[in-house]
Amino acid sequence: PKENPQVFETVTWSPEAVQVQCPSGDCPEGVGLVTFVQRLADRSKIGRCTASLVSPSAILTNAHCLKLLEYYDEAYFFVRHNGQMVFRPLVNVNAVGESPSQSLGRDFALLALGEPILDLRPLTLAREIPEQLPTVVAFVINGVEADSSRLKYTLDKKTCETESHVGLLKLGYKDRGVALGLFGCSVVKGNSGSPVFAPGNFTRIELLVTSTY
């Protein structure tokens, strides 16, 4: 089987050890990391995706992220706020939407936090595919570096060119007008759930990256 960059194994897992850095220095504070943790006898397996705070008590990511592990014991959302890490456990982890194999256009999940994050303004959501948006900016959780006490992730900024209403017929999607094609991005498997913004407006999510990104 091929290596899955969204799943990482470690012998020293704890939510307090997780750090998310922003190399570009302008990441939206509501964008962060969602992890799904499977505890084994001698190690833990951690599945990860990008996620966004869209209400004080809910995050948005891809539905297929819930299937990274065969099962998981715990799930958490991590985000930076005022230079500090904030994390919350997830509760009632159920996807709203459909799996990507059934409907690529509905590969999303709204997940509830165990406690609200009250001092961080949630991101807003666009209600339609933009007609004219030649350039967009995505923020994506990438990789992990582990040492004896920390698990360090990065939230990377990607600028992409677009083409409106690109059909996804080769992947089985029948609606030619559903997608906004993204080009010129160094985005790889593992960036699922990443929010896409209009340049200069990192408070409203225009699109959500799916498995077709």
Side-chain angles (χ1 to χ4, degrees), residues 28 31 52 123-124 133 135-139 194-207:
V31 183
S52 302
L123 298 165
T124 61
L133 197 58
T135 302
V136 295
V137 179
F139 288 90
S194 303
V196 178
F197 300 90
N201 183 3
F202 296 162
T203 62
R204 187 176 80 164
I205 300 172
E206 301 289 345
L207 300 159

Side-chain angles (χ1 to χ4, degrees), residues 66-105:
L66 280 67
K67 301 178 181 180
L68 294 175
L69 302 176
E70 185 176 353
Y71 70 89
Y72 47 87
D73 305 297
E74 307 163 28
Y76 295 89
F77 174 62
F78 300 86
V79 68
R80 292 193 71 83
H81 179 50
N82 292 333
Q84 303 294 321
M85 290 303 304
V86 176
F87 69 88
R88 296 288 189 273
L90 303 186
V91 295
N92 299 324
V93 183
N94 294 302
V96 178
E98 301 176 11
S99 69
S101 61
Q102 295 172 323
S103 176
L104 291 170

Side-chain angles (χ1 to χ4, degrees), residues 3-130:
E3 180 183 357
N4 185 349
Q6 289 176 270
V7 177
F8 173 76
E9 294 191 12
T10 178
V11 295
T12 57
W13 157 256
S14 74
E16 292 81 7
V18 173
Q19 294 287 321
V20 177
Q21 303 295 331
C22 174
S24 66
D26 62 349
C27 300
E29 283 199 324
V31 183
L33 163 74
V34 60
T35 62
F36 305 92
V37 183
Q38 179 184 355
R39 291 190 180 270
L40 304 174
D42 58 346
R43 66 193 189 284
S44 295
K45 296 177 71 174
I46 306 170
R48 54 96 176 165
C49 281
T50 310
S52 302
L53 188 73
V54 294
S55 87
S57 300
I59 61 171
L60 177 68
T61 190
N62 285 152
H64 75 260
C65 292
L66 280 67
K67 301 178 181 180
L68 294 175
L69 302 176
E70 185 176 353
Y71 70 89
Y72 47 87
D73 305 297
E74 307 163 28
Y76 295 89
F77 174 62
F78 300 86
V79 68
R80 292 193 71 83
H81 179 50
N82 292 333
Q84 303 294 321
M85 290 303 304
V86 176
F87 69 88
R88 296 288 189 273
L90 303 186
V91 295
N92 299 324
V93 183
N94 294 302
V96 178
E98 301 176 11
S99 69
S101 61
Q102 295 172 323
S103 176
L104 291 170
R106 294 186 63 187
D107 180 17
F108 68 92
L110 288 171
L111 306 178
L113 303 180
E115 292 180 49
I117 301 176
L118 297 175
D119 55 348
L120 179 57
R121 179 178 293 181
L123 298 165
T124 61
L125 301 174
R127 298 299 179 181
E128 59 186 19
I129 298 172

Side-chain angles (χ1 to χ4, degrees), residues 128-136 162-165 180 198-199 206:
E128 59 186 19
I129 298 172
E131 288 290 338
Q132 297 293 328
L133 197 58
T135 302
V136 295
T162 75
E163 182 177 331
S164 297
H165 303 296
L180 189 73
E206 301 289 345

Side-chain angles (χ1 to χ4, degrees), residues 117-196:
I117 301 176
L118 297 175
D119 55 348
L120 179 57
R121 179 178 293 181
L123 298 165
T124 61
L125 301 174
R127 298 299 179 181
E128 59 186 19
I129 298 172
E131 288 290 338
Q132 297 293 328
L133 197 58
T135 302
V136 295
V137 179
F139 288 90
V140 303
I141 288 288
N142 271 315
V144 58
E145 293 183 7
D147 57 31
S148 59
S149 61
R150 293 282 183 245
L151 297 175
K152 301 176 183 178
Y153 295 83
T154 59
L155 182 60
D156 294 330
K157 182 180 181 180
K158 310 287 185 180
T159 300
C160 320
E161 304 301 317
T162 75
E163 182 177 331
S164 297
H165 303 296
V166 175
L168 299 177
L169 299 182
K170 68 177 182 178
L171 296 171
Y173 204 87
K174 297 180 180 180
D175 185 349
R176 291 177 180 270
V178 73
L180 189 73
L182 307 181
F183 303 93
C185 299
S186 57
V187 176
V188 298
K189 182 177 180 182
N191 297 149
S192 300
S194 303
V196 178

